[in-house]
Amino acid sequence: MAKLCVNIDHVATVRNARRITEPDPVHAAALCELAGACGITFHLREDRRHITDRDAELLKATVKGLLNMEMACTAEMLAIASRLRPHQVTYVPERREEVTTEGGLDVAGAGPALAGGTAALRALGVAVSMFIDPDSEHIRASAALGATHVEFHTGRYCELYDHSPAGAAEEFARLERACSEARALGLVVNAGHGLNYRNVVPVARIEGMNELNIGHAIVGRAVFAGMDRAVRDMVALVEGRG
Ligand code: PXP
């Protein structure tokens, strides 16, 4: 059974739009856990456009379930993650001009910093995941680097879902193949990006799927239905009770 980790970055985006202290992503994280989420994901970006260092510290101190920190492969982020020691770090590509994470990490073409960061975090007992497109070369490179997990980028499947059933089916088959290849190499498989209440069920049912990281759809629904309801509805779909 897949599990839900809620990405609470978008709550911080709303807060920061007013440069005040509310709504607080730390409060959101507590509500998500009380509503049944198995964990919380946050992305501490280099430009701190949503989650701040203060949020990261308080999330570490208060989250009871899995804490997954998304970050770019930089010396600054490695130092912060080494001090915070979340349960899991997910390496993501990061570009200042992007609205959200675009495309997976080029693990196959990565330099020594990614291998060094992975080894350093693993030595501290932190699980390390690579956010990658569902491609063999990046799966094999992630395993070779010593990652414990991969997170498959579901953005393409989600984009196709509403307007191209054939395209979505093809991309879904690619996700399934990638999942079995990664598991055969001993990697734990997560997935995320663009998942919503309409398209999530097939991905959650992929054999061996571990954890889904979902942010925008849940925070968007919470605006209308409340965070508790938004998370409970998604947990039911992810865990097969919807
Ligand atoms: N996984 C990763 C690595 C991401 O960067 C994001 C977006 O922050 C997500 C999952 C969640 O995507 P969404 O907000 O579209 O659910």
Side-chain angles (χ1 to χ4, degrees):
M1 184 180 73
K3 298 170 285 182
L4 174 66
C5 274
V6 182
N7 180 317
I8 41 85
D9 297 351
H10 293 290
V11 177
T13 299
V14 175
R15 173 194 62 192
N16 296 1
R18 274 293 171 95
R19 302 202 182 98
I20 56 173
T21 58
E22 294 171 305
D24 194 324
V26 180
H27 294 178
L31 288 175
C32 291
E33 289 202 285
L34 289 171
C38 96
I40 299 298
T41 294
F42 67 96
H43 184 175
L44 187 66
R45 294 185 80 106
E46 185 198 11
D47 62 10
R48 309 299 198 270
R49 71 170 73 156
H50 38 53
I51 294 294
T52 63
D53 296 70
R54 167 267 186 204
D55 300 334
E57 298 282 348
L58 287 177
L59 289 168
K60 168 63 187 182
T62 57
V63 168
K64 310 288 184 237
L66 183 105
L67 186 63
N68 175 36
M69 174 178 175
E70 296 175 1
M71 63 180 216
C73 178
T74 66
E76 183 203 16
M77 287 303 149
L78 180 60
I80 294 172
S82 300
R83 191 168 40 75
L84 276 184
R85 295 196 198 184
H87 298 106
Q88 183 174 301
V89 159
T90 300
Y91 276 112
V92 299
E94 196 174 299
R95 288 189 297 121
R96 271 185 180 252
E97 61 277 15
E98 69 193 358
V99 175
T100 181
T101 314
E102 291 166 1
L105 193 64
D106 179 11
V107 181
L114 191 60
T118 301
L121 291 166
R122 296 285 297 117
L124 293 171
V126 176
V128 177
S129 182
M130 302 290 166
F131 182 57
I132 55 173
D133 291 324
D135 290 331
S136 262
E137 63 165 337
H138 297 303
I139 296 168
R140 284 189 262 108
S142 299
L145 222 62
T148 53
H149 295 59
V150 285
E151 178 179 339
F152 288 128
H153 195 316
T154 50
R156 191 168 157 70
Y157 158 79
C158 295
E159 264 169 39
L160 292 165
Y161 188 87
D162 286 326
H163 63 270
S164 170
E170 201 174 300
E171 184 63 16
F172 181 75
R174 188 173 160 225
L175 284 165
E176 281 186 314
R177 282 195 302 275
C179 190
S180 74
E181 182 176 355
R183 291 178 69 219
L185 291 173
L187 293 160
V188 180
V189 175
N190 301 331
H193 212 289
L195 294 171
N196 62 33
Y197 296 85
R198 295 185 303 283
N199 61 29
V200 72
V201 169
V203 178
R205 298 290 171 277
I206 292 176
E207 178 75 24
M209 182 57 68
N210 176 53
E211 159 199 313
L212 299 183
N213 288 301
I214 308 180
H216 190 265
I218 293 174
V219 175
R221 181 167 288 199
V223 170
F224 301 110
M227 187 60 95
D228 184 79
R229 179 69 195 271
V231 173
R232 283 182 198 280
D233 286 354
M234 190 59 88
V235 167
L237 293 173
V238 170
E239 295 187 359
R241 293 181 277 111

